C-alpha cells in the first residue's frame, strides 16, 4: 500500500482525511503544502499539476495510479476500498443519507465560505480587517452549529449519530477546531461540544490534530 496525502496542518479538509485514515488504520506519507508561505504553495506549478483546483488535500494512491481531490470523495474512496478499521458510513441507506447530510452541512455549506481564499478576497477587495474577518467566521459557523444542535438532538449518543464514529464526526471536529481559532464561544453549543470532547479522547483524532503534524508552526 502506497498512499501519499498532500495537505496542510491547519486545513480542515486535510484534517478530515487524516482522521479518516487514522480511524481506518491506514499508514501514509504526508507531504506538506504551505498555504501561506510565498503566496501559497498550493498555487505552485508542481502542485497545480497534481491538483488544478489549487486546494488541499490531494491523495495519491500509487498502487492504483490514482490522484484524487475533495476530502469527502477521498474518504469514501478509502472507506470502500479498505475493509480494515472503522466503517465510516453506516450500512443502512437512510442512516447513510443522514450522516452525509451533516457532513455536507459542514463541508459544502460552511467551510467553502470561511476558506482562506474567501478571507483573502474580503481583505483585498473590501478592506476587511481582523475584527470583520472574525465576525464573518463566527456568523457562518454559528448558523451551522445552531442547526446541528437541533438536527442532532434526537440522534446523538457519544458521537453525532449514536455510538459509532462516522463521516459526520470527521467533518464536525475540524470545523469546531477552526471555530475556536476565530474565538467562537462554543458554550452556546453544548451537544456538539460534548461530541468534540468525546472524539478528541480517541487516538485517531488526537493523532490528526493540527498541532501534532510535522508542518505545524
Ligand atoms: N471541498 C474541498 C475543500 C478544499 C479546501 O477548501 N481546502 C482549503 C484548506 S481547508 C485550501 O486549500 N485553501 C487554500 C486557499 O484558499 O487558497 C475538500 O473538501 O477537499
Amino acid at each position: 500500500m502506497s498512499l501519499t496525502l498532500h495537505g496542510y496542518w491547519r486545513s480542515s479538509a486535510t484534517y478530515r482525511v487524516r482522521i479518516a485514515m487514522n480511524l481506518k488504520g491506514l499508514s501514509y506519507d504526508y507531504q506538506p503544502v504551505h498555504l501561506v508561505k510565498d503566496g501559497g504553495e498550493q498555487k505552485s506549478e508542481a502542485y497545480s499539476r497534481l491538483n488544478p483546483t489549487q486546494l488541499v488535500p490531494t491523495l495519491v494512491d500509487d498502487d492504483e495510479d490514482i490522484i484524487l481531490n475533495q476530502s469527502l470523495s477521498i474518504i469514501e474512496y478509502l472507506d470502500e476500498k479498505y475493509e480494515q478499521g472503522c466503517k465510516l458510513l453506516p450500512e443502512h441507506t437512510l442512516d447513510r443519507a443522514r450522516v452525509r447530510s451533516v457532513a455536507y452541512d459542514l463541508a459544502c455549506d460552511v467551510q467553502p465560505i470561511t476558506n482562506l481564499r474567501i478571507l483573502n478576497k474580503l481583505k483585498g477587495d473590501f478592506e476587511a480587517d481582523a475584527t470583520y474577518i472574525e465576525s464573518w467566521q463566527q456568523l457562518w459557523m454559528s448558523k451551522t452549529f445552531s442547526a446541528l444542535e437541533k438536527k442532532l438532538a434526537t440522534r446523538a449518543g457519544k458521537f453525532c449519530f449514536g455510538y459509532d464514529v462516522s463521516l459526520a464526526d470527521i467533518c464536525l471536529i475540524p470545523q469546531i477546531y477552526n471555530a475556536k481559532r476565530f474565538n467562537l464561544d462554543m458554550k452556546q453549543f453544548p451537544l456538539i461540544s460534548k461530541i468534540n470532547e468525546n472524539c478528541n479522547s480517541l487516538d485517531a483524532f488526537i493523532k490528526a490534530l493540527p498541532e501534532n503534524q510535522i508542518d505545524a508552526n
Side-chain angles (χ1 to χ4, degrees):
M1 187 191 306
S2 175
L3 298 169
T4 305
L5 179 64
H6 297 256
Y8 182 58
W9 64 291
R10 227 150 55 167
S11 144
S12 55
T14 309
Y15 188 180
R16 290 175 204 143
V17 179
R18 287 196 303 260
I19 298 169
M21 292 180 94
N22 294 343
L23 285 168
K24 297 211 67 75
L26 295 170
S27 52
Y28 59 94
D29 178 39
Y30 182 62
Q31 286 294 328
V33 180
H34 203 295
L35 296 188
V36 185
K37 201 167 68 188
D38 302 328
E41 287 175 357
Q42 72 277 28
K43 297 174 200 153
S44 70
E45 227 179 284
Y47 186 74
S48 303
R49 262 199 306 276
L50 199 63
N51 182 347
T53 71
Q54 302 186 329
L55 296 169
V56 291
T58 306
L59 180 83
V60 178
D61 181 343
D62 272 329
D63 297 339
E64 307 283 352
D65 207 12
I66 281 172
I67 300 171
L68 262 186
N69 73 309
Q70 286 295 350
S71 59
L72 300 189
S73 106
I74 294 171
I75 292 168
E76 291 212 27
Y77 166 73
L78 295 172
D79 199 32
E80 285 172 31
K81 182 168 175 193
Y82 297 100
E83 278 299 315
Q84 66 189 73
C86 299
K87 219 46 209 146
L88 305 177
L89 280 150
E91 208 58 51
H92 190 272
T93 304
L94 177 59
D95 294 341
R96 204 161 56 239
R98 286 200 170 111
V99 165
R100 286 195 178 117
S101 148
V102 167
Y104 297 170
D105 286 337
L106 295 155
C108 303
D109 291 351
V110 71
Q111 187 274 337
I113 53 171
T114 54
N115 188 19
L116 178 67
R117 61 186 178 180
I118 302 302
L119 305 185
N120 285 343
K121 197 77 182 148
L122 288 173
K123 288 180 203 160
D125 290 2
F126 303 103
E127 294 172 11
D129 61 9
T131 310
Y132 182 84
I133 295 290
E134 188 170 283
S135 69
W136 172 275
Q137 299 293 72
Q138 290 184 357
L139 171 70
W140 301 119
M141 293 187 207
S142 61
K143 273 186 185 296
T144 298
F145 290 163
S146 298
L148 288 185
E149 286 283 305
K150 295 189 186 99
K151 274 179 76 160
L152 297 176
T154 55
R155 306 265 166 223
K158 207 168 164 198
F159 305 114
C160 287
F161 290 92
Y163 291 83
D164 292 319
V165 173
S166 72
L167 182 65
D169 304 288
I170 289 172
C171 291
L172 177 63
I173 276 43
Q175 195 62 56
I176 294 179
Y177 181 92
N178 205 10
K180 289 184 174 173
R181 264 184 76 199
F182 290 94
N183 301 313
L184 181 62
D185 176 14
M186 289 303 298
K187 284 201 287 296
Q188 308 168 74
F189 313 111
L191 180 60
I192 59 170
S193 293
K194 189 68 201 154
I195 294 169
N196 187 47
E197 212 179 292
N198 293 336
C199 287
N200 280 330
S201 69
L202 303 178
D203 281 350
F205 284 81
I206 296 169
K207 213 173 125 195
L209 276 166
E211 54 265 32
N212 292 338
Q213 308 315 304
I214 50 169
D215 54 336
N217 53 41

